[in-house]
C-alpha cells in the first residue's frame, strides 16, 4: 500500500481538455485527468434517514427509487450526463451551449415530478406508513471548470469531479430553507430568460436569496420553489 500511495503522490497528471463528458474508460486510472467547463446539478432527496427508521426497507427502497428514477430521466431529457449516484442523491453534468439553462430546466422539472407526481402517488400507496413523513428534496447547481479523474483501484473505481463547481452544487443540494432549488450567482447570471421568469413572463422565479458559507467563503445563492412540467 505504501508504494501505491507514493506512486499517486509523485506521478504527474496527464491532463487534457474535454469537449464531452468522459466515460470511466476515457480516463486513465494511473494519471489521467480531463478538464471540463461544466454546470453541475445535484438532486438530493431529503429526510431519508427518518424514512429508513420508520418504514419497512421494501417501502424505503421503492420511495428512493422513484426519486432517482425521475431525477435521472429528467437530467438526461435536458441533455445532462449522469456520472454519480450516492444513496438518495444523483449528479448530472451539463456542458456546451445553454448548459446552465438546461440544468435549471431539469431542476424545475424534477421539482414538478416530486410535487405533482411522486408525492401524491406514494402518499396514496402507503397512507399509514408515510403518515409522518413527506417527500422533500433539494437541487443544487453551480458552474465552472472541474478536473475529472478516476479514484479507486483496478476493477473498483469510478470518476471523481474535483473543483469548486461540483463541491458547491453538492453543498447547495443539502440546504433546507424554504426553497427547493438553489443556484449559484454564476449560474443565475449565465442562464437564459426562459428559466428566470414564468412561462407567461409575469412572475420572477428566483425571489429567495441566501448567503451560505461554503468552504469558509460566503456565497450568493438564489432559491426557487417553482416547478415546471417537462
Amino acid at each position: 500500500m505504501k508504494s501505491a500511495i507514493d506512486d499517486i503522490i509523485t506521478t504527474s497528471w496527464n491532463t487534457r481538455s474535454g469537449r464531452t463528458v468522459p466515460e470511466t474508460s476515457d480516463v486513465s486510472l494511473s494519471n489521467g485527468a480531463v478538464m471540463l467547463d461544466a454546470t453541475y446539478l445535484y438532486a438530493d432527496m431529503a429526510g431519508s434517514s427518518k424514512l429508513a427508521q420508520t418504514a419497512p426497507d421494501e417501502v424505503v427502497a421503492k420511495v428512493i427509487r422513484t426519486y432517482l428514477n425521475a431525477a435521472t430521466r429528467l437530467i438526461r431529457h435536458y441533455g445532462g450526463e449522469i456520472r454519480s449516484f450516492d444513496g438518495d442523491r444523483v449528479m448530472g453534468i451539463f456542458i456546451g451551449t445553454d448548459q446552465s439553462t438546461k440544468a435549471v430546466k431539469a431542476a424545475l422539472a424534477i421539482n414538478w415530478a416530486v410535487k405533482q407526481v411522486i408525492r401524491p402517488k406514494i402518499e396514496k400507496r402507503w397512507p399509514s406508513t408515510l403518515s409522518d413523513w413527506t417527500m422533500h428534496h433539494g437541487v443544487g447547481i453551480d458552474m465552472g471548470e472541474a478536473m475529472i479523474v478516476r479514484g479507486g483501484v483496478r476493477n473498483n473505481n469510478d470518476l471523481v469531479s474535483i473543483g469548486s463547481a461540483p463541491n458547491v452544487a453538492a453543498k447547495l443540494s443539502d440546504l433546507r430553507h424554504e426553497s427547493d432549488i438553489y443556484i449559484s450567482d454564476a449560474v443565475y447570471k449565465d442562464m437564459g430568460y426562459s428559466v428566470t421568469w414564468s412561462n407567461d413572463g409575469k412572475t420572477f422565479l428566483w425571489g429567495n436569496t441566501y448567503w451560505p458559507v461554503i468552504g469558509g467563503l460566503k456565497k450568493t445563492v438564489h432559491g426557487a420553489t417553482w416547478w415546471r412540467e417537462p
Side-chain angles (χ1 to χ4, degrees):
M1 179 180 291
K2 290 183 179 180
S3 62
I5 298 301
D6 286 340
D7 287 343
I8 294 172
I9 293 173
T10 58
T11 299
S12 298
W13 291 108
N14 181 15
T15 305
R16 63 179 176 85
S17 297
R19 295 184 178 180
T20 61
V21 180
E23 302 281 355
T24 303
S25 58
D26 297 331
V27 183
S28 170
L29 178 59
S30 60
N31 67 340
V34 176
M35 302 303 297
L36 200 65
D37 182 11
T39 298
Y40 278 81
L41 179 154
Y42 274 84
D44 181 24
M45 193 187 85
S48 58
S49 296
K50 179 179 179 179
L51 180 65
Q53 300 301 315
T54 58
D57 291 346
E58 294 83 358
V59 174
V60 176
K62 288 186 176 182
V63 170
I64 291 176
R65 282 189 64 194
T66 62
Y67 183 75
L68 294 178
N69 183 285
T72 299
R73 288 177 181 273
L74 291 167
I75 289 169
R76 290 181 58 83
H77 175 73
Y78 287 103
E81 296 287 343
I82 306 296
R83 289 296 181 270
S84 177
F85 289 93
D86 180 15
D88 56 8
R89 173 187 290 184
V90 59
M91 179 188 77
I93 306 176
F94 296 78
I95 64 171
T97 305
D98 297 329
Q99 61 188 42
S100 293
T101 300
K102 293 174 182 176
V104 176
K105 284 182 177 180
L108 291 168
I110 293 169
N111 205 28
W112 166 82
V114 169
K115 293 183 175 182
Q116 301 299 312
V117 182
I118 301 173
R119 188 186 291 170
K121 286 184 177 293
I122 64 175
E123 289 177 352
K124 181 178 179 180
R125 180 66 178 85
W126 298 290
S128 299
T129 304
L130 302 182
S131 61
D132 194 36
W133 185 87
T134 301
M135 178 180 282
H136 295 285
H137 76 126
V139 178
I141 308 175
D142 193 16
M143 65 178 296
E145 188 174 60
M147 181 179 183
I148 300 179
V149 301
R150 281 170 74 178
V153 298
R154 186 178 299 277
N155 299 324
N156 290 276
N157 61 83
D158 205 351
L159 294 178
V160 181
S161 291
I162 310 298
S164 177
N167 180 265
V168 170
K171 296 299 183 184
L172 294 183
S173 73
D174 286 335
L175 294 181
R176 297 292 181 256
H177 300 300
E178 64 270 27
S179 296
D180 305 297
I181 305 168
Y182 302 87
I183 63 174
S184 69
D185 199 47
V187 171
Y188 176 78
K189 292 175 180 177
D190 186 62
M191 68 188 190
Y193 179 89
S194 65
V195 292
T196 304
W197 295 82
S198 59
N199 288 333
D200 61 9
K202 296 180 179 180
T203 305
F204 180 64
L205 303 183
W206 305 93
N208 300 328
T209 306
Y210 311 94
W211 294 270
V213 175
I214 299 176
L217 298 175
K218 183 180 288 188
K219 302 286 186 177
T220 299
V221 175
H222 306 271
T225 59
W226 295 90
W227 53 264
R228 184 174 292 168
E229 184 174 354

